[in-house]
Amino acid sequence: MDKTVVLGITGGIAAYKGAEICRLLVKSGLKVKVIMTRAAAAFVSSLTFETLSGGPVGLEMFQRPASWEIQHVSWAQEASCFLIAPATANIIGKTSQGIADDLLSTTIMAAAGPVIFAPAMNVEMYNNVVVQENIARLKSLGYHFIEPESGFLACGDQGRGRLAEPQKIVDYLLKVLQQKKDFEGKTFLITAGPTREPLDPVRYLSNYSSGRMGYALAEAALERGGRVVLVSGPVGLKPPFRADFTAVNTALEMRDAVLKEFPEADIVIKAAAVADYRPEDISLQKIKKSGGDLVVKFQKNPDILGELGKLKKQQLLVGFAAESESLAENASRKLKNKNLDMIVANDITAPGSGFEVETNQVRVITRGGEIKDFPLMAKRELADKILDEIITLKKST
Ligand code: PMT
């Protein structure tokens, strides 16, 4: 593989494991450029990494002898990927706050390609809310993290904080390098989450959609080179940083946002759980519990996907179907009635599938009648499978 990786070694006892990671990267055919922080060099000699990588190790910003290239910029440009292993709380914190005060943090700041952190630290440090917030921020900005493992730590504590196994780290990096960019130049319009249909200033009708499925699709599409417009109902997730994001509440607001973006879209995926009905009258004041039963009249919401099916030109239309019975028949009917190219049917009664959970189990049906069943898997993994099916469908037309 004719690719260069910048391997950043930061100062923790796991720095010695960086040597094994360096060896495995070289063995995989990658060119490796190593940068060590001062603290890392206190744990392991730079000579180890010079020998394993077959090149000079970057240590200081203003190292002598200087070459005419500006090292932090030229290495960043040359690298297809960055791997920081082990990554201390310090380098994670600096990167998340935009601090560039040594060779490694400056080079990370100039990186154009993917950056992977493999944290290793004491369990209490790892669980510290500040560290976790920094990790969450970096993740939302598209940085990769390889979770540390649990076990006996050098400090004598027991718990999560031990550097992941070197082979696991290298396998992850190779997967990132091989990531397909098969949606470059394509615009996705993805909907996610529930809608809220207000009854009065404090009450609404909604459903259990967490947005996880739609957000996973948005992440996958972005990683595969697509532009993503994400229209989302109220959920507790952070939208992917690089997505164009529109937040909505009601089905009518979602309809407006979707119709506005639809003409520019190449691929539309409607993973949102849109309320089919809304209270006909919204009380301006909180409804009091005086009197007997409360009778609410519901009015039908527009079928957004059905409208898109009628307007469709170049767009490939993918719907979801949340079914509690007759999965195949109901999903196939929706595919036909809404003029879709593909429908992803989830049996919401199956354990671990559908609303709220991290996993999903689906059946994909195309307009040509092809059927593919996918076993229960993480929604993020499934998102890539659905995108693969879209590629297959596009090729066949
Ligand atoms: O958000 P999560 O917690 O991760 O859960 C994921 C999910 C279960 C919500 C998701 O996988 C899913 O199935 N989404 C569609 C849920 C749904 O509303 O299904 P439906 O069968 O009622 O609607 C069929 C399709 O028409 C959907 O693509 C829906 O977005 C769309 N629709 C529905 C009603 C409406 N008024 N307008 C629409 O556009």
Side-chain angles (χ1 to χ4, degrees), residues 209-213 270-274 276 302-305 319-322 334 338 346 354-356 360 379:
S209 173
S210 63
R212 288 196 173 101
M213 192 66 245
K270 286 219 75 235
V274 185
D276 287 320
D303 180 344
I304 307 169
L305 194 52
F320 267 75
K334 284 177 186 169
K338 299 187 189 213
N346 28 211
F355 290 91
E356 281 189 301
N360 209 358
K379 284 180 175 167

Side-chain angles (χ1 to χ4, degrees), residues 108-328:
I108 293 173
M109 214 55 69
V115 178
I116 304 168
F117 288 96
M121 64 195 79
N122 164 269
V123 57
E124 304 300 346
M125 285 176 81
Y126 185 67
N127 289 336
N128 186 304
V129 65
V130 177
V131 173
Q132 287 303 318
E133 274 179 10
N134 287 337
I135 291 176
R137 175 172 156 76
L138 288 173
K139 277 186 181 171
S140 78
L141 294 174
Y143 289 81
H144 297 254
F145 276 81
I146 304 172
E147 292 279 307
E149 289 168 6
S150 290
F152 181 74
L153 305 172
C155 50
D157 280 353
Q158 219 25 57
R160 189 173 286 280
R162 202 167 67 184
L163 185 70
E165 281 307 312
Q167 189 63 58
K168 190 172 158 194
I169 293 173
V170 172
D171 287 348
Y172 184 94
L173 178 136
L174 292 174
K175 221 174 113 197
V176 169
L177 281 179
Q178 282 153 13
Q179 177 72 60
K180 294 173 256 181
K181 292 284 177 205
D182 44 2
F183 286 101
E184 231 149 40
K186 297 288 174 209
T187 296
F188 282 81
L189 170 56
I190 298 176
T191 68
T195 63
R196 279 183 186 171
E197 310 300 330
L199 177 62
D200 70 10
V202 295
R203 301 183 181 94
Y204 55 81
L205 173 80
S206 190
N207 58 66
Y208 292 112
S209 173
S210 63
R212 288 196 173 101
M213 192 66 245
Y215 279 55
L217 283 157
E219 269 175 30
L222 284 166
E223 279 185 17
R224 289 168 72 158
R227 173 183 168 246
V228 172
V229 177
L230 177 61
V231 176
S232 174
V235 296
L237 304 174
K238 265 197 177 168
F241 176 66
R242 287 168 296 144
D244 293 334
F245 183 70
T246 304
V248 295
N249 269 307
T250 63
L252 292 178
E253 286 171 18
M254 182 170 279
R255 175 179 176 270
D256 286 349
V258 165
L259 288 179
K260 181 167 163 264
E261 300 292 346
F262 187 63
E264 300 299 317
D266 299 297
I267 299 153
V268 181
I269 310 181
K270 286 219 75 235
V274 185
D276 287 320
Y277 293 91
R278 65 179 185 276
E280 191 170 73
D281 295 312
I282 306 173
S283 169
L284 291 177
Q285 306 303 330
K286 184 182 167 199
I287 299 170
K288 298 271 184 290
K289 66 167 180 259
S290 56
D293 294 342
L294 175 69
V295 177
V296 178
K297 189 168 176 205
F298 288 98
Q299 185 176 10
K300 210 162 183 195
N301 266 331
D303 180 344
I304 307 169
L305 194 52
E307 283 186 47
L308 300 185
K310 291 193 185 107
L311 294 171
K312 173 165 102 168
K313 290 198 171 84
Q314 83 284 359
Q315 297 89 349
L316 191 134
L317 262 192
V318 181
F320 267 75
E323 302 298 343
S324 56
E325 56 180 339
S326 313
L327 182 76

